[in-house]
Amino acid sequence: MTTANNNNVNAPPSPTTFSPPLKNNKMLNVPQQHELDVEAGIHVVAQPPSSGSWLPSHDNHHHDDDDDDDDDAFSDPFDIANTKTASLESLKRWRQASLVLNASRRFRYTLDLKKEEEKEQRRRRIRAHAQVIRAALLFKLAGQRAIVLGATVAPPCANGDYGIGLEQLASISRDQNTSALQQYGEVKGIAEMLKTNLDTGIGGDADELLSRRNAFGSNTYPVKKGRSFLRFLWEAWQDLTLIILIIAAIASLALGIKTEGIQEGWYDGGSITFAVLLVIFVTATSDYRQSLQFQSLNEEKRNIKVEVIRGGRREKISIYDIVVGDVVPLKIGDQVAADGILIVGHSLAIDESSMTGESKIMHKDQKSPFLMAGCKVADGAGTMLVTSVGINTEWGLLMASISEDTGEETPLQVRLNGVATFIGIVGLTVALLVLLVLLTRFFTGHSRNLDGTTQFVRGKTSIGETVDGVIKIITAAVTIVVVAVPEGLPLAVTLTLAYSMKKMMADKALVRRLSACETMGSATTICSDKTGTLTLNQMTVVEAYVGKNKMDPPEDGSKLHAVVSSLLDEGISQNSAGSVFLSKDGGVEVSGSPTEKAILSWAVKLGMKFDVVRSESIVLHVSPFNSTKKRGGVAVRGKSNSEVHIHWKGAAEIILDSCTEYLDINGRLQSIDQDKEFFKSAIETMAAKSLRCVAIAYRKCEVEKVPTDEEQLAGWVLPEDELILLAIVGIKDPCRPGVKDAVKLCTDAGVKVRMVTGDNLQTAKAIALECGILTSDADAIEPKIIEGRTFREMSDMERGQIAKAISVMGRSSPSDKLLLVQTLRKQGEVVAVTGDGTNDAPALHEADIGLAMGIQGTEVAKESSDIIILDDNFASVVKVVRWGRSVYANIQKFIQFQLTVNVAALVINVVAAVSSGDVPLNTVQLLWVNLIMDTLGALALATEPPTDHLMHRTPVGRREPLVTNIMWRNLSIQAFYQVGVLLILHFCGKSILNLKHDDTGHANMVKNTLIFNAFVLCQICNEFNARKPEEFNVFTGVTKNHLFTGIVGTTLVLQIIIIEFLGKFASTVRLDWKLWLVSIAIGLFSWPLAIIGKLIPVPETPLAKILSKPYQRLVAARKA
């Protein structure tokens, strides 16, 4: 035995995978040590364990009763409510307290703390290289003039069709070589050598892409293959008890052959060896299939979509398809997909912490134009020319040198390790008791063979027979340990999660963190965005005001004065991150965010010529739109008249407050003071129709007030007062079909849906009524509907008092969303939150479950999330809740099934051993039962699909006991029934079956075979009972679960083969049809018994809580 005194097991490395975004793991910055390499063996607890993992514990934020002082003093190592933010010490502590037979297998899917430290060390080395480059760059910049004049750079070498070689190009970005960049003609010179048009990008046909990949490489990294099946076989072999059984089997084989000859003597040892090998093979096969599922999900996570400009069109492609020479637009929240050089940027700020380790934001301009792959856009916008991809970038080297560890413990997994430890200690105690009793009876001459003869007689029994007898006793005891320590219990979590994650992909949800999948089952509230989640994100302008005139229809521009039309065209085309271009079929195509697309499409219908308008003015400075300011601006100078205009676009009431004048439809300037109420009323009217209101305004700026220096221009704060209103548009974004039903389903399931939106309260209220979040106008009062600013300005106490009542929060900023999430969590809520913007990242990270949008979500938001909703649909969020509850329910089904087998097998063998010195279930039979119970049982029950019944009950409390009172009732009834019937057969079987006149040896064999057969058939029937712990009809939907029916059918067929054809192998005899009917009747009776049992009421207070109180008080008293 080995004593586990620290963290994880030094298991073989998990499948090595690589991901473009580094996972945001808080633990990476904590010094970590893998202090012990644990060999496969039994881990004896390092501190007194409790059954705490199946006992209720208490939430950090609120407590259940007056006994909380006792609970607080009681510390359960397996009680980790949220592994997302768990400390290193708590992760080490639960590993220390676990009793484990096969460490490498048990801890395979937990975080490998040693590997995390190695990963961080590699990052530091590569980051150090990046910092050396930066220091050298600063040194070069200090003497830049001398360097430029004096330095000589090797002329570019042709590379096939291109004017510069791979290494020369890669070194420019990698070494941030400004001298080489200047001598090659800046970014324009590089683009010419790469045959790239900086405005329209590359052509993008298949031949050109292949040519570029051949010349400069692809944007991929070396990916190590996952572990082979042989590796899983080796890990399954690392179970100490199985090793002992094999050694004992070999000894038994040798002794058997020596005493009985090879023809008869190999059966005992050979059958045990075969049974152990079968267990190892089935276990390895199950684990290997599970590993393949995780690998395929990791590939999905790594496949980021990025936008490029090819042939003048913007298109989204896989990050792996980017080539050198591509022109890539950058906006807030994007990940830089490859190394490159800035073409043009507007207030572009890059977060390089993933490469440099420093959280400092770096501003990029023509003086500092180098962009590193793997970094994030923190602010601003721009375009870059790709110069290096894949392994030729620092990011590529980093990804190639570290493996992405898929290991991550989940709260349920940790708790189940506690359950397994508790059961294991009981089983180990029982096994030692059986060993002691059997050895005592053997050496005192009270043990008898099946034929009635005494097994050991002092002075007469040979040494060989004595050793053989002792080996059989040891194997029986060790087999009890194999059955008693439920190794498969914690692994059932990863099994059901792997199955659920695969199925959730079909339901448009990509799970990034395993723990989120199960935590969603406990979610009590969902804070959802409006746009694109509750609505379709298909926006169109349906109302428009120019001056005080409502345009009807809104795209009728014939009445607009030329001045108004010209200013609108300039403001819309230049103050936009979207674009208008001809599609491949010759039609007009619009790109950008849904709001941008709606406004651009409206302007095109009014007659705007996008490319022409943009060519008539020069952009001086851009203030990009973000969700905090709720507006975006641009300063442009006309090429013909050098007049400077500053255009603003944003939330209508915010822009309106900054306006002092407006242009009427005839192009005349009017004071807004008298008409402000008219515009406010127009905005409210449109908002009441659930329209998003956007205002477009501008102002003139004196040329002399425009900064001329590049650095001053980059820091220029655009004036946003004294604006002239040009137009207000109402944009319709219809509710998603089925969203009302999805909200109702959540409400019925005890999950409150809250809308948190940046739109104004009227729009938010209209959509909330449409979606069913608000039931009537009477509901639309504070605090049910509240503005973000109002909530923000409250005290902590006031926020705590009203947070649970909030249904709609309008005009909220990302910081308001974060504040709401924090307040709700303090109130004891389990919070799921959706987000798509970069500024949503803190709220996504803070929430119990962060749900990022797959279509509109930025890479920063996705990286901070736990689950990505691929279709941005709220109905998919509800499906995730359903799957989360299914995970918990399936684990409970498996626990009920496994505990029933545990209790029955242990009690039968112990009672029989103590009373008669014989165990009715031998080693091979118990190994077969263990296979049914552990691996096959987990596979059958942990993969049950979710049912509608799951959404008709309240959320699963994260601290609720794993074994509920209903489960205790069910398993107690079945276990008592099985123990009672089988012990009656053990003690009275001969007389009941009329075997008293038969040969003693044959009679005992028939009796033990019937016990074994009836026991296995009881387990097969009880698997059906475990499917529906609370329902009378346990067969509902059984035909739809092909895996379950296949496993049960296979188990039954194999049991028939074992009894009828493998008698010597399993120490059984053939049973006649009457005894088969008896066995089947004993098994089938468990079904009506389960129905009767479900009529017995159970108390509401968890039994585990009642039983644990004295123990917790005792522990607390000892500590005091």
PDB file of all heavy atoms in Angstrom, residues 313-340:
ATOM      1  N   ARG A 313     -13.736  41.310 -50.731  1.00  0.00           N
ATOM      2  CA  ARG A 313     -14.870  40.888 -49.903  1.00  0.00           C
ATOM      3  C   ARG A 313     -14.378  40.412 -48.541  1.00  0.00           C
ATOM      4  O   ARG A 313     -13.328  39.792 -48.446  1.00  0.00           O
ATOM      5  CB  ARG A 313     -15.647  39.743 -50.575  1.00  0.00           C
ATOM      6  CG  ARG A 313     -16.378  40.157 -51.837  1.00  0.00           C
ATOM      7  CD  ARG A 313     -17.155  38.972 -52.394  1.00  0.00           C
ATOM      8  NE  ARG A 313     -16.274  37.892 -52.791  1.00  0.00           N
ATOM      9  CZ  ARG A 313     -15.692  37.802 -53.988  1.00  0.00           C
ATOM     10  NH1 ARG A 313     -15.895  38.733 -54.890  1.00  0.00           N
ATOM     11  NH2 ARG A 313     -14.899  36.786 -54.276  1.00  0.00           N
ATOM     12  N   ARG A 314     -15.171  40.690 -47.533  1.00  0.00           N
ATOM     13  CA  ARG A 314     -14.859  40.186 -46.195  1.00  0.00           C
ATOM     14  C   ARG A 314     -15.502  38.813 -46.036  1.00  0.00           C
ATOM     15  O   ARG A 314     -16.681  38.645 -46.334  1.00  0.00           O
ATOM     16  CB  ARG A 314     -15.386  41.129 -45.109  1.00  0.00           C
ATOM     17  CG  ARG A 314     -14.664  42.464 -45.090  1.00  0.00           C
ATOM     18  CD  ARG A 314     -15.007  43.248 -43.843  1.00  0.00           C
ATOM     19  NE  ARG A 314     -14.307  44.529 -43.831  1.00  0.00           N
ATOM     20  CZ  ARG A 314     -14.020  45.220 -42.735  1.00  0.00           C
ATOM     21  NH1 ARG A 314     -14.375  44.739 -41.562  1.00  0.00           N
ATOM     22  NH2 ARG A 314     -13.392  46.370 -42.799  1.00  0.00           N
ATOM     23  N   GLU A 315     -14.723  37.854 -45.587  1.00  0.00           N
ATOM     24  CA  GLU A 315     -15.269  36.518 -45.369  1.00  0.00           C
ATOM     25  C   GLU A 315     -14.652  35.887 -44.129  1.00  0.00           C
ATOM     26  O   GLU A 315     -13.526  36.204 -43.747  1.00  0.00           O
ATOM     27  CB  GLU A 315     -15.050  35.631 -46.595  1.00  0.00           C
ATOM     28  CG  GLU A 315     -13.607  35.562 -47.081  1.00  0.00           C
ATOM     29  CD  GLU A 315     -13.488  34.804 -48.393  1.00  0.00           C
ATOM     30  OE1 GLU A 315     -13.804  35.387 -49.454  1.00  0.00           O
ATOM     31  OE2 GLU A 315     -13.082  33.624 -48.335  1.00  0.00           O
ATOM     32  N   LYS A 316     -15.417  35.012 -43.491  1.00  0.00           N
ATOM     33  CA  LYS A 316     -14.931  34.318 -42.290  1.00  0.00           C
ATOM     34  C   LYS A 316     -14.377  32.966 -42.685  1.00  0.00           C
ATOM     35  O   LYS A 316     -15.009  32.202 -43.406  1.00  0.00           O
ATOM     36  CB  LYS A 316     -16.061  34.157 -41.272  1.00  0.00           C
ATOM     37  CG  LYS A 316     -16.409  35.449 -40.564  1.00  0.00           C
ATOM     38  CD  LYS A 316     -16.973  35.190 -39.176  1.00  0.00           C
ATOM     39  CE  LYS A 316     -17.020  36.479 -38.355  1.00  0.00           C
ATOM     40  NZ  LYS A 316     -17.451  36.248 -36.981  1.00  0.00           N
ATOM     41  N   ILE A 317     -13.170  32.693 -42.191  1.00  0.00           N
ATOM     42  CA  ILE A 317     -12.511  31.426 -42.496  1.00  0.00           C
ATOM     43  C   ILE A 317     -11.945  30.837 -41.203  1.00  0.00           C
ATOM     44  O   ILE A 317     -11.864  31.517 -40.181  1.00  0.00           O
ATOM     45  CB  ILE A 317     -11.374  31.603 -43.533  1.00  0.00           C
ATOM     46  CG1 ILE A 317     -10.280  32.534 -42.978  1.00  0.00           C
ATOM     47  CG2 ILE A 317     -11.905  32.118 -44.854  1.00  0.00           C
ATOM     48  CD1 ILE A 317      -9.032  32.592 -43.820  1.00  0.00           C
ATOM     49  N   SER A 318     -11.545  29.571 -41.264  1.00  0.00           N
ATOM     50  CA  SER A 318     -10.887  28.939 -40.119  1.00  0.00           C
ATOM     51  C   SER A 318      -9.518  29.571 -39.911  1.00  0.00           C
ATOM     52  O   SER A 318      -8.841  29.956 -40.870  1.00  0.00           O
ATOM     53  CB  SER A 318     -10.733  27.438 -40.371  1.00  0.00           C
ATOM     54  OG  SER A 318      -9.826  26.880 -39.442  1.00  0.00           O
ATOM     55  N   ILE A 319      -9.097  29.676 -38.658  1.00  0.00           N
ATOM     56  CA  ILE A 319      -7.780  30.234 -38.352  1.00  0.00           C
ATOM     57  C   ILE A 319      -6.674  29.449 -39.042  1.00  0.00           C
ATOM     58  O   ILE A 319      -5.625  29.978 -39.385  1.00  0.00           O
ATOM     59  CB  ILE A 319      -7.554  30.285 -36.822  1.00  0.00           C
ATOM     60  CG1 ILE A 319      -6.318  31.122 -36.477  1.00  0.00           C
ATOM     61  CG2 ILE A 319      -7.452  28.884 -36.226  1.00  0.00           C
ATOM     62  CD1 ILE A 319      -6.177  31.427 -34.994  1.00  0.00           C
ATOM     63  N   TYR A 320      -6.922  28.151 -39.295  1.00  0.00           N
ATOM     64  CA  TYR A 320      -5.917  27.308 -39.942  1.00  0.00           C
ATOM     65  C   TYR A 320      -5.747  27.645 -41.425  1.00  0.00           C
ATOM     66  O   TYR A 320      -4.757  27.258 -42.034  1.00  0.00           O
ATOM     67  CB  TYR A 320      -6.295  25.829 -39.814  1.00  0.00           C
ATOM     68  CG  TYR A 320      -6.461  25.357 -38.393  1.00  0.00           C
ATOM     69  CD1 TYR A 320      -7.598  24.673 -37.979  1.00  0.00           C
ATOM     70  CD2 TYR A 320      -5.468  25.599 -37.444  1.00  0.00           C
ATOM     71  CE1 TYR A 320      -7.739  24.241 -36.671  1.00  0.00           C
ATOM     72  CE2 TYR A 320      -5.603  25.178 -36.135  1.00  0.00           C
ATOM     73  CZ  TYR A 320      -6.749  24.495 -35.755  1.00  0.00           C
ATOM     74  OH  TYR A 320      -6.882  24.082 -34.460  1.00  0.00           O
ATOM     75  N   ASP A 321      -6.737  28.358 -41.998  1.00  0.00           N
ATOM     76  CA  ASP A 321      -6.702  28.648 -43.438  1.00  0.00           C
ATOM     77  C   ASP A 321      -6.035  29.975 -43.775  1.00  0.00           C
ATOM     78  O   ASP A 321      -5.921  30.344 -44.941  1.00  0.00           O
ATOM     79  CB  ASP A 321      -8.131  28.638 -44.012  1.00  0.00           C
ATOM     80  CG  ASP A 321      -8.762  27.257 -43.953  1.00  0.00           C
ATOM     81  OD1 ASP A 321      -7.998  26.275 -43.958  1.00  0.00           O
ATOM     82  OD2 ASP A 321     -10.001  27.163 -43.893  1.00  0.00           O
ATOM     83  N   ILE A 322      -5.607  30.726 -42.750  1.00  0.00           N
ATOM     84  CA  ILE A 322      -4.922  32.002 -43.007  1.00  0.00           C
ATOM     85  C   ILE A 322      -3.560  31.724 -43.641  1.00  0.00           C
ATOM     86  O   ILE A 322      -2.857  30.787 -43.250  1.00  0.00           O
ATOM     87  CB  ILE A 322      -4.767  32.794 -41.691  1.00  0.00           C
ATOM     88  CG1 ILE A 322      -6.114  33.454 -41.356  1.00  0.00           C
ATOM     89  CG2 ILE A 322      -3.670  33.843 -41.766  1.00  0.00           C
ATOM     90  CD1 ILE A 322      -6.082  34.336 -40.156  1.00  0.00           C
ATOM     91  N   VAL A 323      -3.194  32.567 -44.617  1.00  0.00           N
ATOM     92  CA  VAL A 323      -1.901  32.408 -45.290  1.00  0.00           C
ATOM     93  C   VAL A 323      -1.141  33.728 -45.234  1.00  0.00           C
ATOM     94  O   VAL A 323      -1.725  34.790 -45.000  1.00  0.00           O
ATOM     95  CB  VAL A 323      -2.085  31.967 -46.762  1.00  0.00           C
ATOM     96  CG1 VAL A 323      -2.684  30.584 -46.850  1.00  0.00           C
ATOM     97  CG2 VAL A 323      -2.928  32.979 -47.547  1.00  0.00           C
ATOM     98  N   VAL A 324       0.159  33.657 -45.448  1.00  0.00           N
ATOM     99  CA  VAL A 324       0.985  34.863 -45.521  1.00  0.00           C
ATOM    100  C   VAL A 324       0.499  35.708 -46.699  1.00  0.00           C
ATOM    101  O   VAL A 324       0.280  35.196 -47.794  1.00  0.00           O
ATOM    102  CB  VAL A 324       2.471  34.492 -45.683  1.00  0.00           C
ATOM    103  CG1 VAL A 324       3.294  35.721 -46.051  1.00  0.00           C
ATOM    104  CG2 VAL A 324       3.001  33.864 -44.400  1.00  0.00           C
ATOM    105  N   GLY A 325       0.330  37.021 -46.455  1.00  0.00           N
ATOM    106  CA  GLY A 325      -0.184  37.921 -47.488  1.00  0.00           C
ATOM    107  C   GLY A 325      -1.635  38.277 -47.286  1.00  0.00           C
ATOM    108  O   GLY A 325      -2.139  39.209 -47.911  1.00  0.00           O
ATOM    109  N   ASP A 326      -2.328  37.550 -46.387  1.00  0.00           N
ATOM    110  CA  ASP A 326      -3.735  37.871 -46.105  1.00  0.00           C
ATOM    111  C   ASP A 326      -3.836  39.230 -45.431  1.00  0.00           C
ATOM    112  O   ASP A 326      -2.972  39.608 -44.626  1.00  0.00           O
ATOM    113  CB  ASP A 326      -4.356  36.808 -45.186  1.00  0.00           C
ATOM    114  CG  ASP A 326      -5.178  35.790 -45.959  1.00  0.00           C
ATOM    115  OD1 ASP A 326      -5.829  36.187 -46.939  1.00  0.00           O
ATOM    116  OD2 ASP A 326      -5.181  34.601 -45.575  1.00  0.00           O
ATOM    117  N   VAL A 327      -4.901  39.958 -45.741  1.00  0.00           N
ATOM    118  CA  VAL A 327      -5.224  41.208 -45.054  1.00  0.00           C
ATOM    119  C   VAL A 327      -6.333  40.885 -44.059  1.00  0.00           C
ATOM    120  O   VAL A 327      -7.408  40.405 -44.430  1.00  0.00           O
ATOM    121  CB  VAL A 327      -5.682  42.290 -46.042  1.00  0.00           C
ATOM    122  CG1 VAL A 327      -6.155  43.536 -45.293  1.00  0.00           C
ATOM    123  CG2 VAL A 327      -4.538  42.658 -46.987  1.00  0.00           C
ATOM    124  N   VAL A 328      -6.053  41.146 -42.768  1.00  0.00           N
ATOM    125  CA  VAL A 328      -6.977  40.749 -41.697  1.00  0.00           C
ATOM    126  C   VAL A 328      -7.486  41.988 -40.967  1.00  0.00           C
ATOM    127  O   VAL A 328      -6.694  42.739 -40.396  1.00  0.00           O
ATOM    128  CB  VAL A 328      -6.267  39.813 -40.690  1.00  0.00           C
ATOM    129  CG1 VAL A 328      -7.224  39.408 -39.570  1.00  0.00           C
ATOM    130  CG2 VAL A 328      -5.721  38.581 -41.391  1.00  0.00           C
ATOM    131  N   PRO A 329      -8.802  42.237 -40.985  1.00  0.00           N
ATOM    132  CA  PRO A 329      -9.363  43.340 -40.186  1.00  0.00           C
ATOM    133  C   PRO A 329      -9.328  42.974 -38.707  1.00  0.00           C
ATOM    134  O   PRO A 329      -9.538  41.810 -38.344  1.00  0.00           O
ATOM    135  CB  PRO A 329     -10.813  43.454 -40.678  1.00  0.00           C
ATOM    136  CG  PRO A 329     -10.936  42.542 -41.856  1.00  0.00           C
ATOM    137  CD  PRO A 329      -9.849  41.529 -41.737  1.00  0.00           C
ATOM    138  N   LEU A 330      -9.082  43.947 -37.852  1.00  0.00           N
ATOM    139  CA  LEU A 330      -9.036  43.718 -36.406  1.00  0.00           C
ATOM    140  C   LEU A 330     -10.031  44.632 -35.713  1.00  0.00           C
ATOM    141  O   LEU A 330     -10.132  45.820 -36.057  1.00  0.00           O
ATOM    142  CB  LEU A 330      -7.629  43.990 -35.866  1.00  0.00           C
ATOM    143  CG  LEU A 330      -6.486  43.129 -36.421  1.00  0.00           C
ATOM    144  CD1 LEU A 330      -5.143  43.672 -35.947  1.00  0.00           C
ATOM    145  CD2 LEU A 330      -6.650  41.678 -36.011  1.00  0.00           C
ATOM    146  N   LYS A 331     -10.758  44.068 -34.764  1.00  0.00           N
ATOM    147  CA  LYS A 331     -11.676  44.879 -33.953  1.00  0.00           C
ATOM    148  C   LYS A 331     -11.603  44.405 -32.512  1.00  0.00           C
ATOM    149  O   LYS A 331     -10.973  43.380 -32.217  1.00  0.00           O
ATOM    150  CB  LYS A 331     -13.106  44.781 -34.494  1.00  0.00           C
ATOM    151  CG  LYS A 331     -13.688  43.388 -34.501  1.00  0.00           C
ATOM    152  CD  LYS A 331     -15.084  43.373 -35.109  1.00  0.00           C
ATOM    153  CE  LYS A 331     -15.726  41.985 -35.037  1.00  0.00           C
ATOM    154  NZ  LYS A 331     -14.978  40.958 -35.768  1.00  0.00           N
ATOM    155  N   ILE A 332     -12.244  45.154 -31.620  1.00  0.00           N
ATOM    156  CA  ILE A 332     -12.168  44.842 -30.189  1.00  0.00           C
ATOM    157  C   ILE A 332     -12.590  43.394 -29.948  1.00  0.00           C
ATOM    158  O   ILE A 332     -13.614  42.944 -30.450  1.00  0.00           O
ATOM    159  CB  ILE A 332     -13.090  45.788 -29.387  1.00  0.00           C
ATOM    160  CG1 ILE A 332     -12.617  47.229 -29.509  1.00  0.00           C
ATOM    161  CG2 ILE A 332     -13.111  45.396 -27.919  1.00  0.00           C
ATOM    162  CD1 ILE A 332     -13.523  48.232 -28.833  1.00  0.00           C
ATOM    163  N   GLY A 333     -11.777  42.684 -29.172  1.00  0.00           N
ATOM    164  CA  GLY A 333     -12.105  41.314 -28.792  1.00  0.00           C
ATOM    165  C   GLY A 333     -11.535  40.252 -29.684  1.00  0.00           C
ATOM    166  O   GLY A 333     -11.576  39.071 -29.363  1.00  0.00           O
ATOM    167  N   ASP A 334     -10.985  40.646 -30.853  1.00  0.00           N
ATOM    168  CA  ASP A 334     -10.416  39.659 -31.774  1.00  0.00           C
ATOM    169  C   ASP A 334      -9.100  39.113 -31.241  1.00  0.00           C
ATOM    170  O   ASP A 334      -8.382  39.790 -30.503  1.00  0.00           O
ATOM    171  CB  ASP A 334     -10.152  40.283 -33.148  1.00  0.00           C
ATOM    172  CG  ASP A 334     -11.432  40.437 -33.955  1.00  0.00           C
ATOM    173  OD1 ASP A 334     -12.463  39.901 -33.524  1.00  0.00           O
ATOM    174  OD2 ASP A 334     -11.390  41.087 -35.021  1.00  0.00           O
ATOM    175  N   GLN A 335      -8.783  37.897 -31.652  1.00  0.00           N
ATOM    176  CA  GLN A 335      -7.448  37.354 -31.415  1.00  0.00           C
ATOM    177  C   GLN A 335      -6.620  37.573 -32.671  1.00  0.00           C
ATOM    178  O   GLN A 335      -7.109  37.364 -33.779  1.00  0.00           O
ATOM    179  CB  GLN A 335      -7.515  35.861 -31.103  1.00  0.00           C
ATOM    180  CG  GLN A 335      -6.124  35.260 -30.949  1.00  0.00           C
ATOM    181  CD  GLN A 335      -6.186  33.793 -30.550  1.00  0.00           C
ATOM    182  OE1 GLN A 335      -6.805  33.468 -29.561  1.00  0.00           O
ATOM    183  NE2 GLN A 335      -5.551  32.934 -31.308  1.00  0.00           N
ATOM    184  N   VAL A 336      -5.390  38.025 -32.500  1.00  0.00           N
ATOM    185  CA  VAL A 336      -4.481  38.172 -33.637  1.00  0.00           C
ATOM    186  C   VAL A 336      -4.105  36.761 -34.083  1.00  0.00           C
ATOM    187  O   VAL A 336      -3.514  35.997 -33.325  1.00  0.00           O
ATOM    188  CB  VAL A 336      -3.225  38.993 -33.254  1.00  0.00           C
ATOM    189  CG1 VAL A 336      -2.308  39.151 -34.461  1.00  0.00           C
ATOM    190  CG2 VAL A 336      -3.634  40.365 -32.715  1.00  0.00           C
ATOM    191  N   ALA A 337      -4.485  36.424 -35.319  1.00  0.00           N
ATOM    192  CA  ALA A 337      -4.413  35.032 -35.763  1.00  0.00           C
ATOM    193  C   ALA A 337      -3.028  34.615 -36.252  1.00  0.00           C
ATOM    194  O   ALA A 337      -2.754  33.427 -36.386  1.00  0.00           O
ATOM    195  CB  ALA A 337      -5.434  34.809 -36.883  1.00  0.00           C
ATOM    196  N   ALA A 338      -2.167  35.583 -36.551  1.00  0.00           N
ATOM    197  CA  ALA A 338      -0.824  35.273 -37.046  1.00  0.00           C
ATOM    198  C   ALA A 338       0.047  36.504 -36.814  1.00  0.00           C
ATOM    199  O   ALA A 338      -0.455  37.567 -36.465  1.00  0.00           O
ATOM    200  CB  ALA A 338      -0.880  34.919 -38.535  1.00  0.00           C
ATOM    201  N   ASP A 339       1.351  36.371 -36.995  1.00  0.00           N
ATOM    202  CA  ASP A 339       2.228  37.547 -36.910  1.00  0.00           C
ATOM    203  C   ASP A 339       1.966  38.443 -38.121  1.00  0.00           C
ATOM    204  O   ASP A 339       1.706  37.943 -39.228  1.00  0.00           O
ATOM    205  CB  ASP A 339       3.696  37.122 -36.909  1.00  0.00           C
ATOM    206  CG  ASP A 339       4.147  36.631 -35.539  1.00  0.00           C
ATOM    207  OD1 ASP A 339       3.297  36.561 -34.635  1.00  0.00           O
ATOM    208  OD2 ASP A 339       5.336  36.302 -35.385  1.00  0.00           O
ATOM    209  N   GLY A 340       2.060  39.748 -37.906  1.00  0.00           N
ATOM    210  CA  GLY A 340       1.812  40.635 -39.038  1.00  0.00           C
ATOM    211  C   GLY A 340       2.284  42.046 -38.787  1.00  0.00           C
ATOM    212  O   GLY A 340       2.838  42.371 -37.723  1.00  0.00           O
TER     213      GLY A 340
END
